[in-house]
Amino acid sequence: MTLSDEYYDYEMSIVQTDPETGKLSLSHITVDDPRLKKLQKLARSKRNKKPKNKELPKVVNITNRGKKFYDFEDVSWDVIRTNRTAKNLTQHEVATMAGLSKTVYQQYEIGRKRPTKKRILDICNVLDLRVKEHKGNTMRIGKKNCESIRSKRIAKGYNQKEFSKLVGIAQGSYCGFEKGNLVWNEKVLKKTCELLEIDYKDVTMNAR
């Protein structure tokens, strides 16, 4: 099922070319703009269609680690994705109603781009989801320990892509942790140590 021709015609009438990327975008339109509200109204018949699964989770948990941008594993993207597909909405449609480009939304949903809290709220508003924020811990374990984790992973025969799936995070995020470019979050580090049979206390002994 797709949205009406009227929806797409109106969408094309209000988009503009982004001067930085050269791509069509709705970034010039604010959330309370009447034009966006009209676009949402045109999509409402599909958006309000009841999902087959009535037990879908309606709360998106986000973990705040004192940073402006949220890492992929700090947001319940599985809840967002499940509700989007249950409502029979494409990434393009959700992006449009949230005032984003399709490309940016896709990158959020697969973990290649880190959203701000405002972007998360915009997306959840489109899908009628609530956001619950938690305070999380970060662990700076130093380059030497990161290299030790990398060596252990290789010794056990995992490449980064395989191992990041086992940990449950995006490959790009895991790569950043392992290289020491990103500060580890506690949950990911514990899972990594468990899978690689590394003593968590030894790794975090001098963590800041």
Side-chain angles (χ1 to χ4, degrees):
M1 179 180 177
T2 59
L3 295 183
S4 65
D5 291 339
E6 185 181 3
Y7 170 92
Y8 290 111
D9 288 342
Y10 185 70
E11 178 191 16
M12 292 308 299
S13 73
I14 62 176
V15 295
Q16 290 184 3
T17 302
D18 189 309
E20 295 183 1
T21 65
K23 297 180 179 180
L24 294 177
S25 170
L26 288 171
S27 60
H28 61 287
I29 298 179
T30 60
V31 175
D32 57 352
D33 193 296
R35 292 172 294 176
L36 185 58
K37 291 184 182 300
K38 179 178 178 179
L39 195 64
Q40 292 171 339
K41 185 177 180 180
L42 291 172
R44 194 164 294 142
S45 60
K46 181 176 181 179
R47 177 185 169 193
N48 289 341
K49 183 178 180 181
K50 293 183 179 179
K52 295 178 181 179
N53 186 352
K54 296 181 180 180
E55 302 302 320
L56 287 174
K58 292 298 180 183
V59 177
V60 173
N61 292 298
I62 62 175
T63 304
N64 188 329
R65 303 183 191 279
K67 300 177 293 183
K68 181 179 180 181
F69 293 91
Y70 287 79
D71 292 327
F72 180 78
E73 61 276 4
D74 289 333
V75 182
S76 303
W77 286 105
D78 55 331
V79 174
I80 293 174
R81 188 183 305 108
T82 299
N83 277 272
R84 175 179 64 75
T85 55
K87 288 176 179 287
N88 201 25
L89 288 167
T90 66
Q91 290 179 331
H92 181 200
E93 291 160 358
V94 171
T96 299
M97 288 185 280
L100 304 168
S101 71
K102 176 185 175 182
T103 301
V104 168
Y105 181 84
Q106 285 177 327
Q107 291 175 330
Y108 286 161
E109 204 173 85
I110 62 175
R112 290 183 181 173
K113 193 175 183 67
R114 301 162 66 219
T116 60
K117 184 177 179 180
K118 180 184 181 302
R119 291 303 194 193
I120 298 169
L121 291 174
D122 289 343
I123 293 167
C124 290
N125 182 55
V126 168
L127 297 170
D128 299 317
L129 300 174
R130 292 187 295 111
V131 169
K132 187 173 183 180
E133 191 168 359
H134 308 270
K135 183 174 176 58
N137 297 321
T138 55
M139 310 292 290
R140 190 180 296 277
I141 63 173
K143 293 276 188 179
K144 186 175 181 180
N145 280 326
C146 289
E147 180 58 36
S148 176
I149 288 172
R150 176 179 178 275
S151 298
K152 189 76 172 181
R153 171 181 60 78
I154 293 173
K156 284 188 169 289
Y158 296 115
N159 60 41
Q160 276 191 345
K161 184 176 181 180
E162 294 168 337
F163 194 71
S164 62
K165 285 185 178 180
L166 291 176
V167 177
I169 65 174
Q171 183 181 354
S173 293
Y174 181 79
C175 179
F177 290 139
E178 195 174 76
K179 286 183 176 181
N181 296 332
L182 294 177
V183 181
W184 288 81
N185 71 55
E186 192 175 33
K187 180 180 177 181
V188 172
L189 185 56
K190 282 183 176 179
K191 183 67 174 178
T192 297
C193 289
E194 177 187 333
L195 291 169
L196 296 178
E197 299 177 334
I198 296 173
D199 191 321
Y200 178 77
K201 290 183 180 180
D202 286 347
V203 172
T204 59
M205 186 176 296
N206 298 313
R208 301 190 301 276

